[in-house]
Amino acid sequence: MASPLIIRTCYLSARHHHHHHHHHCSFLFSTTSPKPPKFHSLKSIKMEGANEITEEAKENVNQNKRKIFVAGATGSTGKSIVEQLLAKGFEVKAGVRDLAKARATFSKHGPSLQIVIADVTEGSDKLVQAIGDDSEAVICATGFRPGWDLFAPWKVDNLGTVNLVEACRKLGVKRFILISSILVNGAAMGQILNPAYIFLNIFGLTLVAKLQAENHIRKSGINYTIVRPGGLRNEPPSGNLVMEPEDTLYEGTISRDLVAEVAVEALGLPEASYKVVEIVSRADAPKRTYEDLFGSIKQK
């Protein structure tokens, strides 16, 4: 059998060219090994090589691809997340329910964006296929539009997020970023009469559903960042970002683009690991780096 090192090279090269499905890597095998190896297709290399790949090599594979799966990609915040990821040189897999809407939303995208059908309410097995083994992190920006279905927030914000986390567990995806909301724990904060809390909970207990999803993520063992924005605005960002620990902010607003920026920045920062942060923007807040902002929040 060839040495693991050579298999590793082959695996990396195979993963690097993952869109050429018929490449044979056999030329990479050492000719000095006692038995000449059989010809391997890319698929069998993935299977056999997978066990012999060191953690270090896996890291290198990730450096090459940096593909992020975004759930809820056609929503207002999701769209901004996709655009900012692409601008930073990531590859993006956009999980959407409506293909026609997605094509219209991302009409000018290049080869770095792949659109896949992904309905978070349809169970984790379909999501496993959508996320695939080439996504290194998942950002969940799903939400629902208030309507007649009072169970919609429950299905999307709670069960849908849980399904995504389960899909990540099955695939071994190590990083999960969730866009949630301030006041999800309003009852515990004594904010039960806050008009915002009442309003958001009229629509099928939205905040309670989000809180349950958050709790699931925290128990899952996955490296999470939960971002709880204040009231979402569609205008461009104004003022500076304020970041507080969980269950601190009960008022304030923030631009969706800034929420998206926080999610994208969190991806690359060790300071953002295993944290719940609440964000709004304020005109009088000082400008701080993301390292400083995330670093100031303690892990629970």
Side-chain angles (χ1 to χ4, degrees), residues 1-3 6-7 25-37:
M1 191 56 202
S3 74
I6 293 165
I7 285 183
C25 278
S26 43
F27 61 87
L28 281 169
F29 283 93
S30 135
T31 45
T32 54
S33 57
K35 284 193 291 248

Side-chain angles (χ1 to χ4, degrees), residues 69 71-72 95-98 116-124 126-127 130 142 155-156 160 163-164:
F69 182 89
V96 304
R97 279 179 316 182
D98 179 340
V116 294
I117 290 284
D119 183 336
V120 294
T121 63
E122 283 192 347
S124 63
K126 282 190 176 172
L127 289 172
T142 51
K155 287 188 278 205
V156 175
N163 287 339
L164 267 179

Side-chain angles (χ1 to χ4, degrees), residues 157-234:
D157 287 333
N158 181 345
L159 301 176
T161 305
V162 168
N163 287 339
L164 267 179
V165 171
E166 289 315 297
C168 287
R169 275 219 279 223
K170 290 175 184 174
L171 287 162
V173 173
K174 301 277 192 292
R175 190 82 177 89
F176 194 94
I177 294 173
L178 175 70
I179 309 297
S180 184
S181 172
I182 62 167
L183 286 172
V184 288
N185 209 8
M189 291 167 70
Q191 290 293 319
I192 208 138
L193 296 178
N194 181 320
Y197 184 78
I198 294 167
F199 174 74
L200 284 162
N201 269 330
I202 284 170
F203 293 112
L205 297 171
T206 311
L207 293 174
V208 176
K210 283 185 188 293
L211 183 63
Q212 298 237 330
E214 284 191 16
N215 290 338
H216 184 82
I217 291 169
R218 294 167 86 154
K219 290 194 202 94
S220 69
I222 201 163
N223 177 356
Y224 64 84
T225 305
I226 293 167
V227 179
R228 295 177 174 176
L232 296 170
R233 289 199 319 268
N234 291 327

Side-chain angles (χ1 to χ4, degrees), residues 105-122:
T105 305
F106 303 113
S107 52
K108 294 190 289 289
H109 66 268
S112 295
L113 177 65
Q114 188 183 349
I115 297 170
V116 294
I117 290 284
D119 183 336
V120 294
T121 63
E122 283 192 347

